[in-house]
Amino acid sequence: MTDTTVLAQFQTADGEKTGPPLSLPANVTAEQLTVLINKFLETSEPRPYSFYIDEHEVVRSIQTDIIDAAGKSTEDTLVIVYQPQAFFKVRAVTRCSSSLTGHTEAVLSASFSPDGSQLASGSGDTTVRIWDLSTETPRVTCKGHRNWVLCIGWSPNGRVLASGSMDNTVRLWDPETGRELGMLGGHRKWITALSWEPQHLNAQCNRLASSSKDGTVRIWDTTLRRCVLTLSGHTAAVTCVKWGGDGRIYTGSQDKSIKVWNSDGTLYKTLSGHAHWVNTLAFSTDFALRTGAFDHTGKHPSTTEDAQRRALERYTE
């Protein structure tokens, strides 16, 4: 069977013949046909092709797919129609496109603003920097923490930036001026994570959740600068907190559990099963929750109500 040959003619999908008729072994494969057609076309870089004979695709070989499966005779001239396949080239990242320098110690956290125009970074040098991504320069430097800045979080409307530190406090900043708007104190150990209430649930964007090494999660009213709820069901450090689009608060802990809380502070459910610490949580809706009313068009909502409506649309779409 391997000595059987067939007479074949390459042809485009438009009916134009390519090259002369060829005597090919019947067991020629699709990969070998690809090499052959690239030689005929004299392409600078080999491209993938698919091949059809009387609308039957050559997947393995002409013998298997055309002669045996489709019943074609080896006495006939086989017209091989070739079609280019989708071809994508990925260029590997071989160098850094740019660097933002300025912090004097390790950068421990970073977060883009909801509209994507700014980047905030928290560092072991106890400062928060807000960077202009157009010029790649620091717009403002926020100073006030007395220890490492471990986590940062933008309010959904982008008007307030919160930072949590190893000095056991959460501080609020005006991202336009870098001025400190207030300090939220109450945790007995350092802050591990921050999460704002989604904009489609709260148009004022003034409720913030903070988790701590002290095993609690505190819900803050950032307008009044006071704690309105304390969630204290974990038996070890709370490593992460997420405010979901359904209004519930999700926390992960070193006690190996995930707890789900209602917005009034009551425990809704405990998820157990991990054999070690829960270090991080992620929602499939994270992007929509983080960007809120902002999208790729760069348009800013005109009113608070419009912002809440757009945030809800983006979350539910």
Side-chain angles (χ1 to χ4, degrees):
M1 187 66 70
T2 56
D3 296 332
T4 304
T5 61
V6 294
L7 191 64
Q9 171 69 60
F10 282 115
Q11 181 177 294
T12 67
D14 295 328
E16 296 180 5
K17 295 180 179 179
T18 302
L22 301 172
S23 179
L24 299 175
N27 61 356
V28 65
T29 64
E31 290 77 12
Q32 292 169 328
L33 291 174
T34 298
V35 173
L36 192 57
I37 195 62
N38 274 291
K39 289 288 187 181
F40 275 129
L41 297 176
E42 298 180 344
T43 55
S44 56
E45 292 185 38
R47 296 194 60 181
Y49 287 87
S50 55
F51 301 92
Y52 299 86
I53 299 175
D54 288 344
E55 299 184 354
H56 297 285
E57 185 176 5
V58 179
V59 178
R60 288 163 292 182
S61 68
I62 289 180
Q63 179 71 55
T64 302
D65 300 314
I66 306 302
I67 298 174
D68 294 341
K72 293 293 292 183
S73 172
T74 57
E75 301 297 325
D76 298 331
T77 299
L78 303 181
V79 176
I80 304 176
V81 177
Y82 63 93
Q83 294 181 352
Q85 296 180 346
F87 185 58
F88 300 97
K89 294 183 65 176
V90 179
R91 180 176 296 176
V93 177
T94 57
R95 64 182 179 85
C96 177
S97 60
S98 61
S99 296
L100 306 178
T101 59
H103 283 296
T104 57
E105 293 290 343
V107 177
L108 304 175
S109 55
S111 179
F112 287 100
S113 61
D115 65 0
S117 65
Q118 300 177 86
L119 175 70
S121 57
S123 170
D125 63 11
T126 75
T127 68
V128 174
R129 286 182 178 245
I130 300 175
W131 306 84
D132 186 324
L133 297 180
S134 299
T135 61
E136 299 182 357
T137 57
R139 294 184 62 256
V140 293
T141 300
C142 309
K143 298 179 179 181
H145 283 296
R146 300 186 303 277
N147 210 326
W148 297 355
V149 180
L150 300 177
C151 50
I152 51 181
W154 293 84
S155 65
N157 58 14
R159 297 175 184 173
V160 179
L161 177 68
S163 59
S165 168
M166 282 194 73
D167 64 11
N168 305 347
T169 68
V170 176
R171 294 177 188 262
L172 306 174
W173 311 93
D174 181 342
E176 292 299 319
T177 64
R179 180 175 64 89
E180 183 176 329
L181 300 176
M183 183 189 73
L184 309 177
H187 283 295
R188 300 187 305 278
K189 293 186 178 181
W190 62 80
I191 314 302
T192 57
L194 299 169
S195 184
W196 291 84
E197 185 175 18
Q199 190 171 21
H200 68 270
L201 299 175
N202 178 5
Q204 302 305 316
C205 302
N206 66 337
R207 294 222 298 174
L208 172 70
S210 62
S211 60
S212 170
K213 178 74 172 176
D214 65 13
T216 68
V217 173
R218 289 178 177 256
I219 310 300
W220 307 89
D221 184 318
T222 58
T223 302
L224 300 177
R225 312 283 193 267
R226 66 181 180 87
C227 177
V228 294
L229 287 172
T230 300
L231 314 180
S232 53
H234 285 290
T235 58
V238 182
T239 54
C240 48
V241 60
K242 288 277 191 177
W243 207 316
D246 58 357
R248 293 192 174 98
I249 300 163
Y250 299 75
T251 57
S253 169
Q254 290 182 0
D255 66 10
K256 309 174 190 175
S257 74
I258 299 168
K259 291 186 181 293
V260 185
W261 310 81
N262 293 313
S263 58
D264 61 2
T266 57
L267 181 63
Y268 173 72
K269 186 180 297 184
T270 298
L271 307 177
S272 302
H274 281 293
H276 211 275
W277 301 348
V278 179
N279 296 312
T280 187
L281 296 171
F283 295 135
S284 59
T285 54
D286 270 347
F287 179 74
L289 293 177
R290 183 179 66 80
T291 54
F294 303 97
D295 59 20
H296 66 283
T297 63
K299 296 179 180 178
H300 286 225
S302 56
T303 64
T304 301
E305 293 74 18
D306 182 42
Q308 185 176 29
R309 179 186 58 79
R310 290 177 60 181
L312 180 59
E313 289 176 353
R314 298 193 67 227
Y315 174 70
T316 55
E317 67 184 9

